[in-house]
Amino acid sequence: MMNVHDPRATELDARGARFARVDTWIFDLDNTLYPAATDLFAQVDAKIRAFVMEALGTTPDEAKRLQKDYYRRYGTTLRGLMLEHGVSPDGFLDFVHDIDHSVIPPDPDLVAAIRALPGRRFVMTNGTRTHAEKVTARIGLSGVFDDIFDIVAADLLPKPNRETYDRFLHGAGIEPTRAAMFEDLSRNLTVPHTLGMRTVLVVPGPDEALGREAWESEGADAPHVEWVTHDLAGFLAEVNPAARQIAPEID
């Protein structure tokens, strides 16, 4: 009797095979571990703009223009302020992350999926450790990650700079060809892909209307992005080498 293969099972099997050697799982924080629709980062955005206005004595419109320009060109607005205006970073990080984290809902499915992953798990963020700890606590992920590599550990040099990835990987003793990186910005996956990591872009769901800059949503079809998902928990469950089961053939 002819075997009939389920195309979905074949696809999952092939995808899972690409993660079979992964023993290190690296996650961006904001808009990756929680839905962008929570709009948490809108609070940070407003605080950054207020800081720019105060530091440079600009109008709100000019502060917004500079904020977005520096974010795009330098990875963070702070980096642009430091390089172009000599602004001291003192107080910036604490100020912009002093926000209401209660808008982030618990996510038991994501917690279960990340806990089930074999090997080590890390957060790599352009935010601060304190911010990351508050976010992960709200989700239910406290104590799940082996470490958090934040912007201070990066010496204020943000992703997507190559030096920052090298610093993180060397410090944690990570072999990139056995690692997977999950990000909400395509450009931040360029270096991980070059280094041999599995790369996954986490995008908003189809019903999520967001006020993102156009460039932030670009690059989903770039060569350095291997997979795109709007369901991080579901994706992890599908590719988990320890838990994935291959669907049986139908006779």
Side-chain angles (χ1 to χ4, degrees), residues 10 31 69 73 86 90 133 141 166 168 170 174 189 215:
T10 301
N31 298 332
D69 177 49
R73 286 197 285 136
D90 294 345
E133 288 173 344
L141 287 166
D166 288 341
F168 165 58
H170 178 74
I174 296 171
L189 292 172
W215 69 267

Side-chain angles (χ1 to χ4, degrees), residues 29-42 103 184 202-205 208-212 230:
L29 181 75
D30 291 305
N31 298 332
T32 297
L33 286 180
Y34 60 85
T38 62
D39 230 12
L40 179 74
F41 208 74
V103 298
D184 74 305
V202 181
V203 299
E208 293 183 81
L210 305 173
R212 305 182 87 187
H230 60 79

Side-chain angles (χ1 to χ4, degrees), residues 170-194:
H170 178 74
I174 296 171
E175 167 51 54
T177 61
R178 297 183 65 88
M181 182 86 188
F182 299 81
E183 262 281 353
D184 74 305
L185 293 180
S186 173
R187 71 178 186 181
N188 289 348
L189 292 172
T190 303
V191 172
H193 177 74
T194 300

Side-chain angles (χ1 to χ4, degrees), residues 47-64:
K47 299 276 284 195
I48 293 174
R49 193 168 309 131
F51 187 95
V52 174
M53 287 176 59
E54 177 68 22
L56 303 184
T58 67
T59 64
D61 287 345
E62 178 63 4
K64 180 178 180 180

Side-chain angles (χ1 to χ4, degrees), residues 74-129:
Y74 296 110
T76 61
T77 302
L78 175 59
R79 190 72 183 172
L81 291 172
M82 292 168 59
L83 293 177
E84 300 220 1
H85 302 278
V87 172
S88 170
D90 294 345
F92 176 90
L93 295 173
D94 288 339
F95 176 75
V96 303
H97 290 115
D98 183 16
I99 56 175
D100 177 16
H101 290 82
S102 67
V103 298
I104 300 176
D107 192 341
D109 290 341
L110 182 62
V111 172
I114 293 180
R115 280 190 179 278
L117 295 172
R120 296 188 294 166
R121 317 167 197 95
F122 294 88
V123 169
M124 184 184 186
T125 176
N126 282 345
T128 64
R129 175 180 288 271

